[in-house]
Amino acid sequence: MARFHLVGANSRTSIIGLDRQLGTTNYLIGNKPSQWHTGVSLYSKVAHKDVYPGVDVTYYGTQGHLEYDFRLAPGTNARTIR
């Protein structure tokens, strides 16, 4: 399986769920109910803002494969992406 890595990217990006889906899911991992997560919203896309200055990336699935789109602010050089 290939790994995807953005070299030198901002590791403290804002993460935003896009295209909220119907329903929720629960993560009941481990035996400590205080660490369980219930009623978690589902999204079809996830965006990371400012992975590089002026560059956002959105991840989504298509036919079982992970895809992504980069969005560049006006005047941002695409060579910023590594």
Side-chain angles (χ1 to χ4, degrees), residues 22-37:
L22 296 176
T24 59
T25 193
N26 301 310
Y27 295 93
L28 309 176
I29 300 170
N31 58 2
K32 295 181 181 177
S34 64
Q35 295 181 349
W36 294 351
H37 301 280

Side-chain angles (χ1 to χ4, degrees), residues 1 9-10 13-14 16 20-21 24 27 31-33 37 45 48 51 55-57 59 72-74 80-81:
M1 174 188 277
N10 177 7
T13 65
S14 296
I16 301 168
R20 187 171 178 179
Q21 303 297 295
T24 59
Y27 295 93
N31 58 2
K32 295 181 181 177
H37 301 280
K45 297 179 181 182
H48 287 245
V51 291
V55 179
D56 300 340
V57 63
Y59 300 99
L72 281 66
T80 302
I81 302 168

